[in-house]
Amino acid sequence: MPFAIKPGQTLLLTGDSITDCGRRSANAPMGNGYASMINDLIVARYPAHRLNVINTGISGNTTRDLISRWTDDVIRYQPDWLSIKIGINDIHRYLRSVPDASVSPEEFAEYYDTLLSRVKKETKASIILVDPFYISNDTAIDSFRTKVLKELPAYIKTVEKMAKKYKARRVKTHDIFQNLLKYYPADKFCPEPVHPNVAGHLVIANAWLKEMGW
């Protein structure tokens, strides 16, 4: 399968802290996570492509937050490719019942559909959806990590449905990390289940590029 992104195109990556990775501070403009790795690897392998790669991830965001900034941070750029990595903050705030910030599985589905509907109506972008993931295999009763792992499949199911509805490519990051945990402890990829270290970000970048025909 040939590499899907064509020369001169614009790739926009958005989402939460996992995409942000300091892109608004010390590591501007691409951050130091998977988004930056994807950009650098494309430059290394396809220098003549001269892509315009943009990162608009913001730490702490949920799908609710993306809706509020979708025009400024996505639509106005009119990207050829849009990659979205979102969901873990939605789950955390739902489990913690955070007022005015909680995003239930049903709301997650509604908000995600709203976001993607606007992309299809207002841009010509092709879409890549990155599953929310949690790098843990905790099974302890009453553990918050166990609760997250129990709730996560409902949110991933929405990403699967949205990928089918909007003919998007999908990166199954949670499945990939769960498979890796059969061989390595979680701290090989992260200091805690949400935020990957360098190895964890390389896993995401590799899976993303593979989905794009790398």
Side-chain angles (χ1 to χ4, degrees), residues 13 19 27 30-41 53 55:
L13 304 102
T19 304
N27 296 300
M30 288 303 300
N32 63 352
Y34 80 92
S36 177
M37 293 172 181
I38 287 169
N39 181 47
D40 291 344
L41 285 166
V53 183
N55 182 352

Side-chain angles (χ1 to χ4, degrees), residues 117-141:
S117 177
R118 285 199 62 192
V119 172
K120 285 300 183 183
K121 290 177 181 176
E122 300 176 47
T123 81
K124 296 181 180 179
S126 297
I127 301 168
I128 309 107
L129 302 181
V130 182
D131 285 2
F133 59 81
Y134 201 64
I135 310 174
S136 171
N137 50 18
D138 197 341
T139 58
I141 297 174

Side-chain angles (χ1 to χ4, degrees), residues 27-206:
N27 296 300
M30 288 303 300
N32 63 352
Y34 80 92
S36 177
M37 293 172 181
I38 287 169
N39 181 47
D40 291 344
L41 285 166
I42 292 173
V43 168
R45 188 164 182 176
Y46 300 102
H49 269 48
R50 299 181 65 85
L51 302 182
N52 178 31
V53 183
I54 303 164
N55 182 352
T56 64
I58 294 182
S59 181
N61 268 197
T62 64
T63 47
R64 186 196 302 265
D65 297 309
L66 291 186
I67 285 175
S68 70
R69 64 184 182 89
W70 210 233
T71 298
D72 287 342
D73 288 359
V74 174
I75 303 298
R76 78 177 178 93
Y77 288 104
Q78 292 295 300
D80 299 288
W81 291 90
L82 171 64
S83 176
I84 306 170
K85 159 66 189 77
I86 200 74
I88 195 61
N89 293 317
D90 303 63
I91 298 169
H92 277 193
R93 291 173 194 173
Y94 172 63
L95 289 173
R96 290 171 173 150
S97 301
V98 179
D100 301 320
S102 173
V103 180
S104 70
E106 295 76 19
E107 290 171 320
F108 183 71
E110 177 187 344
Y111 296 156
Y112 222 141
D113 197 20
T114 297
L115 293 167
L116 297 180
S117 177
R118 285 199 62 192
V119 172
K120 285 300 183 183
K121 290 177 181 176
E122 300 176 47
T123 81
K124 296 181 180 179
S126 297
I127 301 168
I128 309 107
L129 302 181
V130 182
D131 285 2
F133 59 81
Y134 201 64
I135 310 174
S136 171
N137 50 18
D138 197 341
T139 58
I141 297 174
D142 294 330
S143 163
F144 184 75
R145 294 185 179 192
T146 300
K147 293 177 182 178
V148 172
L149 288 167
K150 184 178 179 180
E151 200 65 49
L152 183 56
Y155 291 77
I156 292 176
K157 190 69 175 177
T158 283
V159 180
E160 180 183 6
K161 289 180 179 178
M162 292 298 108
K164 290 178 180 177
K165 180 175 181 177
Y166 291 98
K167 297 180 173 58
R169 294 171 185 253
R170 179 178 163 222
V171 185
K172 302 177 183 179
T173 40
H174 184 66
D175 288 349
I176 292 167
F177 279 118
Q178 288 299 303
N179 183 62
L180 289 170
L181 292 181
K182 297 175 183 177
Y183 305 96
Y184 297 99
D187 59 10
K188 178 76 171 178
F189 308 104
C190 61
E192 38 74 22
V194 173
H195 299 99
N197 57 21
V198 173
H201 276 285
L202 279 169
V203 169
I204 302 169
N206 180 66

